[in-house]
Amino acid sequence: MLARTADNLFWLSRYVERAESLARILDVALRLATLPSAYAGTSNEWESAIDIAMCRNLFFESNEVADEASVTQFLIDGPNNPSSIRRCIEIARHNARAVRTAITTEMWEILNDAWSELQRQKFKSFTGKDLSRFLAFVKEVSLRFDGAAYRTMLRTDHYWFQRLGMFVERADNTARLLDVKYHVVLPETESVGGGLDYFQWSALLRAVSSLNSYHLIYRGGIRPWLVADFLVRRPEQPRSLISSYENLNRVLDLLSEQYGRQGPSQRLVRKTYAGLQNLDADTLFQTGLHEFLTQFIADNNQLGLAISEQYLQ
Amino acid sequence: MSERVIFDETGGLESEPRSIYREAAAWFREASSELITSRKAEAEAFFRRIGITFAVYGDEAGAERIIPFDIFPRILSSDEWSRLSEGLEQRVKALNAFIGDVYGAREIVKAGVVPEDLILANPAFRPEMTRIKPTAGLYTHIAGIDLVRTGPDDFFVLEDNARTPSGVSYMMENREAMLRLFPELFGRLRIKPVDQYPDELLATLRSLAPTTASREPTVVVLTPGPFNSAYYEHTFLADRMGVELVEGRDLFVRSNIVYMRTTEGPQRVDVIYRRIDDEFLDPLTFRPDSTLGVPGLMSAYKAGNVTLSNAVGTGVADDKAVYSYMPEIVKFYTGEEPKLANVPTWRCREPDALGYVLANIKDLVVKEVNGSGGYGMLVGPHATKAQRESFAAKVKANPANYIAQPTLALSTIPCFVESGLAPRHVDLRPFVLSGSDKVRIVPGGLTRVALKEGSLVVNSSQGGGTKDTWVIDDAPPRPKGQSRSQRQMN
């Protein structure tokens, strides 16, 4: 297949996944912001949303304070924000149009409909109800797109590049979410497991749509180290780092099978995947979560670059 | 302008419609206005949904519009169609022979049929092509011939599009929409299908692969990209043919062989169905500022390692001044009388004709010889005095650049407009595929409608719309006794 087509497929899935993550981040911030500070702590939820989305500098270029109005506006439709939800969907649709023949009609229609819907939305006059309806809509676009890809695409390289984009982006989002939340929830002076972080941790689980599944795996209530364990090491959890890497590893294997040769991406993914499988739980949670996540995010970026160099140019 | 009777192809819906329109007329007569409105809305939703849009040049950037689609079908009988398709085949054969001759021995010039300066001074003439011999001596593999009609048996060719005619995706999507909207009519009438077009196109393109190609030649569609007004069509055709849709940057040339960049490294390309104009194909040969093309493509073409479809330089044949010679051109190469008539044309390059045109400009349609898309033309009877005068001045300043034709009483077909069903002028663009094995024509084509009342301009950029075109298999059914199943039952 054309390298440019593969590149478009890869990025189009990344942008759809990113739009969904942004919607989830906003969802959680909205939920926490409504709690009395005795339950939610004193940290600024809106600032932490900006941190997870990795756009602190950009945000404060055009905004004085991080509050509900400024942050939702910025993340959904900020004119100077190249990764706003609106831009993500626009770029995804643009990429899809450029590779219209490489995706199925079902996938195209979902993105094209989402794009037309965006043209109709009047973000300026959003009420709280409009906002939550809009966030639900964005999550649904991603779910439907993923489902359409899963159910309608031929299992050839087209599909594998679509999946690669999705899993690279998802691993990145989960790692950043965990990293930022870990800081917000556990300021240096406070010990793990203090009373008021219960809602913070459960909100984090909600952000990855896993509050219920957490309870199915861990029966003993919400514990910070178990939440981290869940999102890093549990293969049952589809948004965990290890789960994304299990998939990345498999997909890159399938690609090398189809093409009859392998390269740096296959080597990198195997290394990171093995690292996750051999991770020692105690060191991870007591001392090194932040260091670990920083390294993971860097490795994951490296994998994205390697895929690009090996296949997409 | 004298009052002329305008031929309505249905024969009039109120009184007694022509037999081929009887079923359709009955459906529309009996349908409630709510039903028709809902079908129209369904059609609109269908076209939006599949994203069949076009960009209008000069419109605000990125704007996407859909071409208005009219749900009342255009119908042709088998007989009408078979006469048309014979004429089309003859005409396109002549066009191909003419282009080959222009870039070859120029017999037609030596015979004094077509003046040489018409060829050499033509901006679409490509001197490079005198040294390049395309496969099977064919140049315009995909031609769109625009036809108009003035009476039951009076069809005229209005224009030959020998470069990169577009619109075939509308022909196919219009049919798709009609199949969804009017299953009952398709059940009752035997309408010849059009959805084999992409297969026929692919077969045509493959038949033209260079001799150095492998047994399974690799075909691609080359597009200028998503901002081109016909981008939807490019994706549509690539998709339906199951071939790659490439942009210039996806291709490169090494040792006179064209490759595309794939996830598995370079892959050889044998046939390029290019939807890019000549000037942009290769910055080393044509416009150096072109970023749409492929450096070195022309030398690979010259080396005979790749087929460009259509060939380079076919524009010499769809010039409007050359058009006026088409009856003679057809006779010269086929030895037959033309089966399809030309619209009588005055060449302003000839002093007598110029005098006539200037004196009668209010009754004539005056066109630039290289204009297209309905731009650069004057419709005399519909223009103001001031418009006519300024156009006449342009013609006087550069007569060779203009031709003129009478305003024909173009046929009409009813369309749904604000006020209900009303007659609107139409034309027809069938697509003629010329492969090294044979000529293929899908029955029908694209019917374009001038939606403005009285307007003769059907171009989508100027308020035109489209209709589905039905060629009905109306030959009398075989007597029952002869059918196979009957015999088996005996």
Side-chain angles (χ1 to χ4, degrees):
Chain A
M1 81 191 282
L2 283 182
R4 181 175 52 85
T5 305
D7 189 52
N8 271 318
L9 283 170
F10 180 80
W11 280 101
L12 120 78
S13 307
R14 284 198 74 157
Y15 277 108
V16 172
E17 186 71 19
R18 191 172 295 178
E20 182 191 338
S21 297
L22 288 167
R24 291 183 181 283
I25 291 166
L26 283 173
D27 235 5
V28 169
L30 272 174
R31 177 175 282 271
L32 285 175
T34 56
L35 286 175
S37 59
Y39 295 89
T42 50
S43 62
N44 181 344
E45 267 321 308
W46 298 107
E47 246 185 273
S48 97
I50 289 298
D51 285 332
I52 301 168
M54 296 268 271
C55 49
R56 170 173 280 275
N57 294 341
L58 202 58
F59 176 82
F60 285 107
E61 263 174 32
S62 52
N63 292 280
E64 300 270 300
V65 281
D67 56 18
E68 177 175 338
S70 64
V71 171
T72 52
Q73 210 278 327
F74 182 80
L75 290 185
I76 291 178
D77 190 30
N80 64 335
N81 180 2
S83 286
S84 67
I85 291 179
R86 176 205 269 276
R87 283 300 293 153
C88 284
I89 292 179
E90 279 174 358
I91 298 171
R93 192 255 183 188
H94 176 82
N95 276 8
R97 192 158 180 261
V99 293
R100 180 63 195 81
T101 57
I103 59 175
T104 60
T105 310
E106 286 81 357
M107 293 163 75
W108 162 251
E109 285 182 353
I110 289 162
L111 291 180
N112 197 39
D113 287 353
W115 176 81
S116 334
E117 179 60 33
L118 270 186
Q119 312 301 307
R120 277 197 291 277
Q121 295 284 349
K122 296 193 173 46
F123 299 108
K124 290 271 182 303
S125 55
F126 255 23
T127 64
K129 189 146 178 64
D130 294 335
L131 180 59
S132 53
R133 202 181 297 131
F134 177 74
L135 296 176
F137 157 76
V138 174
K139 282 186 280 184
E140 200 185 308
V141 167
S142 164
L143 284 177
R144 288 174 57 215
F145 183 76
D146 182 24
Y150 181 73
R151 297 180 68 131
T152 61
M153 279 187 96
L154 277 181
R155 273 16 178 202
T156 59
D157 43 3
H158 289 74
Y159 181 66
W160 308 130
F161 284 109
Q162 191 272 331
R163 294 279 118 173
L164 283 182
M166 185 177 87
F167 290 123
V168 168
E169 183 70 23
R170 182 177 294 176
D172 183 62
N173 287 319
T174 302
R176 282 193 281 115
L177 188 66
L178 192 57
D179 196 27
V180 172
K181 277 290 159 192
Y182 183 78
H183 279 286
V184 173
V185 177
L186 294 177
E188 309 274 319
T189 53
E190 248 177 273
S191 62
V192 176
L196 53 70
D197 54 8
Y198 171 84
F199 292 99
Q200 291 278 359
W201 286 111
S202 62
L204 194 156
L205 286 169
R206 253 184 236 280
V208 292
S209 188
S210 305
L211 186 54
N212 294 343
S213 47
Y214 173 89
H215 288 300
L216 287 175
I217 300 248
Y218 307 96
R219 298 275 171 192
I222 296 178
R223 300 278 176 275
W225 55 92
L226 293 182
V227 174
D229 182 61
F230 191 44
L231 294 184
V232 175
R233 296 177 66 234
R234 292 304 288 239
E236 302 93 324
Q237 154 62 292
R239 302 191 78 89
S240 71
L241 303 186
I242 199 165
S243 181
S244 293
Y245 265 73
E246 191 183 351
N247 281 300
L248 285 168
N249 189 43
R250 191 175 50 87
V251 170
L252 281 165
D253 271 352
L254 286 163
L255 267 181
S256 69
E257 251 169 59
Q258 184 177 335
Y259 294 160
R261 94 177 77 133
Q262 38 178 300
S265 333
Q266 278 82 8
R267 285 194 287 281
L268 270 176
V269 79
R270 255 178 248 136
K271 185 163 157 266
T272 309
Y273 183 42
L276 286 165
Q277 285 173 309
N278 300 326
L279 201 58
D280 176 62
D282 292 336
T283 40
L284 175 62
F285 308 132
Q286 293 313 317
T287 55
L289 185 59
H290 175 62
E291 286 71 20
F292 165 78
L293 290 170
T294 309
Q295 185 59 44
F296 176 85
I297 291 168
D299 290 346
N300 192 52
N301 277 339
Q302 204 55 48
L303 178 64
L305 290 174
I307 292 172
S308 169
E309 274 168 28
Q310 193 175 334
Y311 295 113
L312 311 181
Q313 296 171 11
Chain B
M1 192 170 75
S2 57
E3 279 304 311
R4 286 174 299 184
V5 182
I6 289 172
F7 173 63
D8 190 279
E9 297 193 12
T10 61
L13 292 181
E14 290 79 23
S15 52
E16 185 58 21
R18 294 171 62 220
S19 63
I20 47 172
Y21 275 97
R22 216 166 277 150
E23 292 280 355
W27 192 97
F28 282 92
R29 202 169 36 235
E30 284 153 26
S32 65
S33 64
E34 291 78 34
L35 181 61
I36 288 169
T37 311
S38 86
R39 297 269 165 116
K40 276 178 70 178
E42 252 179 83
E44 162 107 15
F46 170 76
F47 285 108
R48 280 243 177 257
R49 189 118 223 254
I50 59 174
I52 183 165
T53 56
F54 72 106
V56 178
Y57 295 118
D59 220 24
E60 67 176 290
E64 291 173 23
R65 287 206 241 151
I66 56 174
I67 294 186
F69 171 69
D70 187 74
I71 59 174
F72 192 92
R74 200 262 184 95
I75 304 178
L76 295 167
S77 71
S78 279
D79 223 36
E80 287 169 340
W81 175 251
S82 70
R83 268 179 289 135
L84 284 182
S85 67
E86 278 170 29
L88 291 166
E89 182 162 347
Q90 180 198 45
R91 189 161 178 115
V92 172
K93 280 184 173 158
L95 281 171
N96 272 308
F98 173 68
I99 303 168
D101 192 21
V102 161
Y103 293 116
R106 294 204 194 126
E107 301 290 350
I108 198 162
V109 175
K110 290 177 194 151
V113 178
V114 174
E116 185 157 42
D117 70 307
L118 203 63
I119 292 163
L120 297 182
N122 192 318
F125 179 78
R126 303 278 168 233
E128 298 81 8
M129 289 307 290
T130 57
R131 298 184 300 277
I132 297 175
K133 291 283 156 258
T135 321
L138 293 172
Y139 291 79
T140 180
H141 315 133
I142 299 112
I145 309 295
D146 291 349
L147 303 171
V148 292
R149 187 177 193 179
T150 57
D153 293 314
D154 308 308
F155 287 91
F156 296 89
V157 175
L158 190 63
E159 206 172 291
D160 302 290
N161 297 280
R163 301 177 213 204
T164 49
S166 63
V168 79
S169 57
Y170 290 96
M171 169 183 89
M172 299 189 60
E173 297 290 25
N174 286 355
R175 176 60 54 84
E176 203 56 40
M178 291 299 271
L179 278 165
R180 292 183 189 204
L181 297 176
F182 299 101
E184 54 277 57
L185 282 175
F186 281 85
R188 255 173 272 155
L189 295 167
R190 286 183 297 166
I191 299 162
K192 296 190 177 175
V194 295
D195 42 314
Q196 68 276 29
Y197 180 82
D199 293 334
E200 309 234 311
L201 175 60
L202 185 61
T204 302
L205 294 171
R206 287 183 158 213
S207 79
L208 295 162
T211 46
T212 55
S214 62
R215 281 169 53 87
E216 286 283 304
T218 302
V219 177
V220 299
V221 177
L222 174 61
T223 174
F227 297 106
N228 183 269
S229 67
Y231 183 69
Y232 175 82
E233 179 154 305
H234 308 161
T235 63
F236 177 90
L237 290 173
D239 199 18
R240 294 293 172 92
M241 287 194 287
V243 305
E244 293 288 358
L245 177 67
V246 304
E247 294 179 18
R249 59 195 159 118
D250 297 320
L251 300 179
F252 68 94
V253 177
R254 193 188 294 150
S255 310
N256 281 341
I257 292 181
V258 184
Y259 296 95
M260 60 179 164
R261 294 174 219 277
T262 79
T263 50
E264 295 171 89
Q267 186 191 332
R268 183 173 168 171
V269 172
D270 302 304
V271 182
I272 301 176
Y273 177 25
R274 47 98 174 202
R275 297 293 297 257
I276 291 184
D277 292 342
D278 287 355
E279 304 90 287
F280 297 95
L281 273 178
D282 180 351
L284 301 183
T285 307
F286 304 116
R287 285 178 61 154
D289 60 336
S290 167
T291 53
L292 303 175
V294 187
L297 183 58
M298 282 303 283
S299 65
Y301 186 43
K302 194 174 166 191
N305 289 332
V306 70
T307 295
L308 294 178
S309 195
N310 287 346
V312 172
T314 53
V316 284
D318 69 5
D319 176 285
K320 292 187 181 70
V322 170
Y323 163 87
S324 66
Y325 291 94
M326 274 311 286
E328 290 88 345
I329 289 173
V330 171
K331 245 176 282 176
F332 187 80
Y333 295 108
T334 65
E336 303 165 352
E337 284 301 314
K339 295 174 185 169
L340 280 173
N342 247 27
V343 179
T345 302
W346 289 275
R347 305 166 191 129
C348 300
R349 57 193 278 120
E350 294 164 7
D352 289 358
L354 176 65
Y356 178 85
V357 169
L358 292 174
N360 295 284
I361 198 161
K362 66 178 194 321
D363 296 328
L364 300 172
V365 180
V366 190
K367 296 173 177 174
E368 275 180 31
V369 292
N370 282 305
S372 73
Y375 293 101
M377 64 184 271
L378 175 91
V379 181
H382 295 176
T384 62
K385 190 152 182 279
Q387 282 169 330
R388 283 200 297 262
E389 278 166 6
S390 81
F391 210 88
K394 283 199 275 179
V395 175
K396 248 183 280 183
N398 185 8
N401 197 33
Y402 295 90
I403 53 113
Q405 294 168 335
T407 50
L408 299 178
L410 294 192
S411 63
T412 57
I413 298 178
C415 284
F416 280 93
V417 292
E418 296 276 315
S419 55
L421 270 182
R424 289 291 181 268
H425 295 295
V426 292
D427 78 354
L428 175 65
R429 175 180 289 182
F431 296 89
V432 183
L433 300 174
S434 303
S436 65
D437 50 347
K438 61 173 175 175
V439 172
R440 298 169 170 89
I441 311 175
V442 166
L446 178 65
T447 291
R448 298 186 295 175
V449 195
L451 286 172
K452 268 185 255 166
E453 188 172 4
S455 168
L456 298 170
V457 184
V458 295
N459 301 88
S460 53
S461 48
Q462 300 206 31
T466 67
K467 278 175 177 294
D468 192 14
T469 311
W470 294 355
V471 176
I472 295 195
D473 192 354
D474 55 353
R478 279 178 298 170
K480 281 213 169 103
Q482 284 176 14
S483 85
R484 185 175 283 267
S485 59
Q486 284 275 320
R487 236 180 288 142
Q488 279 174 340
M489 284 164 72
N490 286 343

